[in-house]
Structures are given as C-alpha cells and as structure tokens.
Amino acid sequence: MDRRTAVHHGDPLREQRLLREGLAVVDLSDRGVLTVTGPGRLTWLHSLTTQDLASLAPRESAEAFVLTPQGRIEHLLHLVDDGETTWITTEPGRAGALATWLDSMRFMLRVEVAEVTDRHAVLGEPVGRPGAAGEPPTWVDPWPGPVGRTAVRTPEDLGEHPGAAWAWREVIVPRDEVESWAGDRPLAGWWALEALRVEAWRPGWAEVDDRSIPHELDWLRTAVHLEKGCYRGQETVARVQNLGQPPRRLVFLHLDGSGHELPAAGSEVRVGASPTEPGSGKVVGRLTSVARHHELGPIGLAVVKRSTPAEEELSIGSVSAAQEVVVAVGGRPRRPRL
C-alpha cells in the first residue's frame, strides 16, 4: 500500500515491541476524515451500510462497509459518534470519493456530509478503551469481535483467536494539536503496525480488490450485521451466507526467512512450484500483506482460491510459505454465542 506517513523511525522491530507494550503512537495522518451531522445521521448511515448504526451511543465505535450493488467491498468506514456528529475515518486517498457518494444519497434528509481531512488528523494508539468525555473523537477497533448478529468463518477447532490480544484505536485530533497529543511518546511507523495487524489475522484495505466480499476475509465478524434492514449489496451477503461459500479465502502465511528479501505484496501465490524453477506451478491467489515480525519472523496474509488444499505448501516467487487457515474450507459459517 502506498502510504504518505513514515514506514519506520529507525528500528521497526523495536517499534513493534513498543506498540505491543502500549507505549508508542503511530502517525496515521494520511487517513481520510469525514463528518456527518444532522438529526437523522445515524439512521441514514444505518440504511446505507452493512452495520447496525441506528442506535450507536455517544463514544461507541463501529466498523462498516459500503458495498457495490453486487456485494463487493467499495468503502471501509471506521465510525464513532460524539452525540452531535458522526466521525468517519477511511483509507488514504478515498475520503473524497466516499464523501461524494454519501452526499449523493442524502436526498431530502436533514444530514450534512463534510470532508475535514485538511483540518483533522488521525493518530493510532495500541489502546482498547473508548475516548473519555472531553477527549477527541476516538474510534476503537472491534477486532476480532464478534460484534452483534453476525457470523465467523474461522475453523471450529481454532481455540483462541490470534487477534484476542489486539488492542487498537484511532484518535481524531485537529492537525495543529497532533504534536501535543502525541506528547513524548515514541513514534512507531506503519511497518510495525502492519506486523502486529498481520499477526492478529486482522484484514485491512491491503486485502481488498475489486472482487472482494466480506465473507472471504472473515470480515463479517466485525463489520456486517446479518439481521438488519436492506442496504446496497445485501442480497449477495445473504446468499453467500445462507446458500454458498465465498470463491476465495484468506490465509495466514509463515514465510521462509532464509533469504534476505521478502516477496512484495501483490505477488502471485502458487501451488506445485518446483524449488529450482521460480514462477512454476499453478497460480491460486496473491500475497496481500507481508511483514517481519519481532517474534514470528517473516509473515503475511494472502487471498487464495477456495479450492486450494489447506495442507498445501505455497510458493511466492522463490519463497516457500506454510499456511494457516483463516477462513475455513467448506462447512457452514458459525453464529457466535452472544
């Protein structure tokens, strides 16, 4: 992913450890920021997205998608309401398109949409608690949930989810207050953040392409409510949930770290490749995220065809990779116990 903030501040592995210990802060000021105001803002957003937002309480956070009519992921929204305004952060470079689409859907409703990226910035913190009264709008990541009436697609025998210890939030501050909010905490770059995200099996925008549906990334668990009213793309969500299987599935990869170079995100993932012939074998997907973890070594996420055998060793160029199943092959999606 092309980011406009620092990838590291001199020592990515140390920065990971500082994040793990809850001590560092990450500059996410390239994320887009929108506001939605007006008395009907929550019910309006509820009608347009995949999540139940109608009764979102002040300082409560939610994650939601805007889908295409075919049910593919078009926009990812991190939302928090302060009682008067709904604040939304979204992926770098996508705020304008999201604001334009939302504005086109207002019709006669008493809501106002504004892009405020030029005035507000996002800082990331390894903290799992909401913002307190008087603090800036703060979105708390719900991963791994599950959140509300949804479903999970991890294997039944998984045990504790690798993201169980994941704690993350985004604080939205005026741009002229970024330094004061960060204070004297050390800075970590997004390489460090990516390593911890991948470890937690937490899908991000890097895993999304123009064919992505939430089911194949196990993203129903935090971003899709399965018992709410109609929204664009709901038919596909319901059909795959009730009748079928997603065409692809997310996998976690342990990459061979014996070489000096790691494969680049976007590289083809193959099965049946010859060790002496990089590029041989059958293409089954693509590497979406790659990182060097301070404990696990080289790791990654990939999206592969559903038919790819779960026990098969994968290859990315000259690098071999052992997979762990994130989205189960076959079987019924499970409703979590509430």
Side-chain angles (χ1 to χ4, degrees), residues 210-260:
D210 59 6
R211 295 185 294 146
S212 297
I213 59 175
H215 315 66
E216 60 193 14
L217 303 174
D218 195 30
W219 221 335
L220 294 173
R221 64 168 60 233
T222 55
V224 179
H225 191 286
L226 292 173
E227 297 181 9
K228 56 168 286 187
C230 294
Y231 55 88
R232 193 171 74 166
Q234 185 187 25
E235 182 179 350
T236 297
V237 171
R239 183 172 64 250
V240 176
Q241 170 66 15
N242 295 321
L243 301 176
Q245 294 289 334
R248 303 180 298 178
R249 60 185 181 87
L250 186 68
V251 295
F252 174 82
L253 300 178
H254 294 275
L255 301 167
D256 177 11
S258 58
H260 296 293

Side-chain angles (χ1 to χ4, degrees), residues 24 43 68 117 136 139 167 228 266 285 291 295 310:
T43 54
T68 70
T117 310
W139 176 80
K228 56 168 286 187
E295 294 177 341

Side-chain angles (χ1 to χ4, degrees), residues 42-195:
L42 290 175
T43 54
W44 178 66
L45 288 166
H46 175 93
S47 71
L48 298 175
T49 70
T50 57
Q51 191 54 275
D52 182 358
L53 303 174
S55 58
L56 195 68
R59 297 196 293 277
E60 184 179 358
S61 301
E63 181 177 47
F65 297 121
V66 170
L67 303 178
T68 70
Q70 295 76 33
R72 294 167 182 159
I73 298 171
E74 185 169 11
H75 294 289
L76 171 61
L77 288 67
H78 295 170
L79 307 102
V80 61
D81 196 84
D82 65 10
E84 296 181 353
T85 299
T86 301
W87 295 80
I88 301 171
T89 82
T90 192
E91 299 306 306
R94 300 192 60 82
L98 176 58
T100 297
W101 184 78
L102 288 173
D103 204 48
S104 73
M105 301 300 292
R106 288 190 305 131
F107 304 112
M108 300 297 291
L109 292 175
R110 294 170 57 196
V111 294
E112 296 292 335
V113 178
E115 183 187 352
V116 296
T117 310
D118 60 337
R119 303 195 302 276
H120 290 81
V122 178
L123 291 176
E125 300 177 336
V127 177
R129 66 178 181 274
E135 290 186 341
T138 301
W139 176 80
V140 180
D141 192 346
W143 188 260
V147 177
R149 301 290 181 175
T150 190
V152 301
R153 288 187 167 262
T154 43
E156 290 192 44
D157 60 353
L158 175 64
E160 185 175 60
H161 192 281
W166 171 258
W168 190 250
R169 70 181 191 177
E170 296 174 356
V171 183
I172 305 169
V173 299
R175 285 191 176 267
D176 59 4
E177 297 179 14
V178 168
E179 289 189 12
S180 62
W181 183 263
D184 58 1
R185 288 177 292 175
L187 292 174
W190 66 267
W191 274 0
L193 175 58
E194 281 290 278

Side-chain angles (χ1 to χ4, degrees), residues 191-202:
W191 274 0
L193 175 58
E194 281 290 278
L196 300 184
R197 177 184 71 83
V198 171
E199 177 196 18
W201 295 7
R202 209 285 183 239

Side-chain angles (χ1 to χ4, degrees), residues 280-299:
S280 61
K282 179 183 177 182
V283 176
V284 294
R286 69 180 180 95
L287 181 68
T288 56
S289 297
V290 62
R292 290 188 186 274
H293 191 274
H294 68 287
E295 294 177 341
L296 301 177
I299 57 176

